[in-house]
Amino acid sequence: MPKKIHVLTVLLCALVVFAVMPVFRAEAFWLLTPKSKTFINPKIVVKDTPAEQYEWAMSFFKNGEFQRAADEFLRLIEYYKDSDYAPEAQYYAGRAFEENGKHYFAFQNYQKTVENYPYTKRLDEIVEREFNIARIFQSKGTPKLMDTELNVYLDKAVEIYKKVVENSSFGKYADQALFNMADCYRRLSKYTEAVEAYDKIVTDYPNSTLVQEAKYQMAYTMYEASLDPDYDQESTNNAMKKFEKISNSTPNPAIAEEANKALDVLKNRKADSLMAVGAFYEKQGKIASALVYYKDVVAQFPETKAAKTIEPKISVLEKRVKK
């Protein structure tokens, strides 16, 4: 009987060994450490020096294993954040994410390089890479709801363009970043923010080649704002003033022509608005009040369709008032 029990025990042990063998074969890199009595994987344990860890991470980057490279660069930063290798590791973590198509993660790591290691030699390159990432988000097809673009990508583009300007206020991408940021704001119907961005180009970068275009776009943004029911007539008035100034001062004939076209549209809109108020008073029998608005149309916007329509009627109404 004891022999049978012994044989059965051996067989059971053998079955257990065979059952777990595939696991140990699959996890061949795991080793049992004598001190902690736990299993570790030498391939994912940080190396003994930052130099070794950097080379280890770089080997994956060069092999095109970008996710693994990012993990290893970030591991270096975690364990050796004050080492001379940390700034480069943070930068290359961003590069690895960018190569892997994870653009927002790339931006975050580039920005950490600037903020945590302001002495980095990569500043100019990082600004350029962030600018290009922002353009990717700006150009992505944006889903719409009720004809309004959602902020899925545009908000990210704005966030990154802001950092481009902050990181290098007078670098070669600053004015273009502001211009692109304004475009994103316009597409999000954030007209006030768009106007501020255009105005900053005109104010802070007077020698920029984008100044004339920024002035025009700023005026046009005010015009767009005037079409929004949430904005008052002051937006129309401001837009008209901007377009008039552009028309009279720009050295660019194409911009002047576009400004004049937009100005004509605004004048007609304003004239139609005044005429509508006048018509309201006329229906109420308040002819004198109606005449005030009708005369304003003719005096302020004589070339508009509204002015040409209402001008013959003014004399008729004036006779009625006298009676």
Side-chain angles (χ1 to χ4, degrees):
M1 188 71 173
K3 286 184 179 180
K4 288 182 180 180
I5 293 174
H6 179 70
V7 171
L8 184 59
T9 302
V10 170
L11 288 171
L12 287 171
C13 289
L15 286 171
V16 170
V17 170
F18 280 113
V20 300
M21 273 182 70
V23 175
F24 281 99
R25 283 198 301 272
E27 304 295 337
F29 296 123
W30 290 88
L31 299 174
L32 181 65
T33 57
K35 289 185 179 180
S36 64
K37 306 297 183 184
T38 59
F39 284 97
I40 64 167
N41 187 334
K43 286 206 169 187
I44 62 172
V45 172
V46 67
K47 302 301 179 184
D48 292 334
T49 67
E52 289 178 309
Q53 181 64 28
Y54 182 82
E55 290 302 321
W56 177 244
M58 188 57 74
S59 68
F60 293 106
F61 185 86
K62 290 177 179 177
N63 273 344
E65 298 178 55
F66 298 116
Q67 184 58 57
R68 181 66 186 277
D71 292 341
E72 295 299 341
F73 283 124
L74 292 175
R75 191 169 284 113
L76 186 155
I77 297 161
E78 181 182 357
Y79 287 91
Y80 303 111
K81 66 178 181 178
D82 296 323
S83 74
D84 292 339
Y85 289 89
E88 281 290 277
Q90 187 76 74
Y91 163 76
Y92 269 105
R95 282 286 306 277
F97 281 122
E98 187 175 358
E99 293 288 346
N100 210 25
K102 297 181 177 180
H103 295 103
Y104 191 70
F105 286 127
F107 156 69
Q108 289 178 316
N109 281 274
Y110 289 144
Q111 193 56 34
K112 283 181 181 178
T113 308
V114 175
E115 292 171 358
N116 297 339
Y117 308 102
Y119 51 84
T120 176
K121 63 184 181 181
R122 302 283 188 179
L123 179 60
D124 290 343
E125 187 177 347
I126 285 172
V127 168
E128 181 176 2
R129 288 185 175 277
E130 288 185 338
F131 179 81
N132 289 332
I133 289 171
R135 288 179 64 185
I136 289 172
F137 285 118
Q138 182 184 0
S139 64
K140 280 181 179 287
T142 307
K144 291 187 176 184
L145 180 65
M146 300 292 287
D147 293 328
T148 300
E149 290 190 83
L150 302 181
N151 60 9
V152 178
Y153 299 120
L154 294 178
D155 274 349
K156 283 184 169 62
V158 167
E159 177 189 357
I160 300 170
Y161 281 133
K162 281 183 179 178
K163 290 301 179 183
V164 169
V165 177
E166 288 176 17
N167 292 340
S168 185
S169 299
F170 293 97
K172 69 176 186 176
Y173 292 101
D175 57 342
Q176 186 67 60
L178 280 168
F179 193 87
N180 293 358
M181 188 195 311
D183 173 70
C184 293
Y185 278 135
R186 282 175 65 183
R187 289 165 61 186
L188 290 166
S189 299
K190 294 183 178 181
Y191 302 116
T192 301
E193 291 87 342
V195 168
E196 288 173 355
Y198 287 130
D199 188 55
K200 190 172 177 63
I201 296 171
V202 176
T203 304
D204 293 356
Y205 306 93
N207 298 320
S208 169
T209 57
L210 295 171
V211 167
Q212 291 301 321
E213 182 66 19
K215 287 180 178 179
Y216 172 78
Q217 294 298 341
M218 178 163 51
Y220 199 82
T221 301
M222 291 177 178
Y223 162 62
E224 287 181 315
S226 75
L227 302 178
D228 192 318
D230 292 335
Y231 286 76
D232 56 32
Q233 285 297 314
E234 191 62 26
S235 297
T236 304
N237 296 334
N238 289 335
M240 287 170 60
K241 290 175 184 177
K242 291 288 184 184
F243 279 125
E244 285 174 349
K245 189 173 181 180
I246 292 168
S247 177
N248 295 329
S249 64
T250 182
N252 188 323
I255 289 180
E257 183 180 353
E258 289 299 318
N260 286 328
K261 287 179 182 177
L263 191 55
D264 286 342
V265 173
L266 286 169
K267 285 180 177 179
N268 276 283
R269 286 192 72 251
K270 186 69 175 178
D272 289 344
S273 177
L274 290 171
M275 192 167 169
V277 176
F280 170 79
Y281 282 118
E282 186 181 353
K283 287 180 180 178
Q284 300 296 316
K286 299 178 180 179
I287 306 302
S289 296
L291 279 169
V292 171
Y293 285 93
Y294 290 153
K295 287 180 179 180
D296 268 353
V297 172
V298 175
Q300 294 184 47
F301 311 106
E303 299 301 319
T304 63
K305 182 180 178 181
K308 291 173 182 177
T309 301
I310 202 62
E311 191 170 13
K313 190 176 181 179
I314 291 175
S315 59
V316 175
L317 292 176
E318 284 178 328
K319 291 177 182 177
R320 286 178 60 185
V321 171
K322 288 177 182 178
K323 289 180 181 180

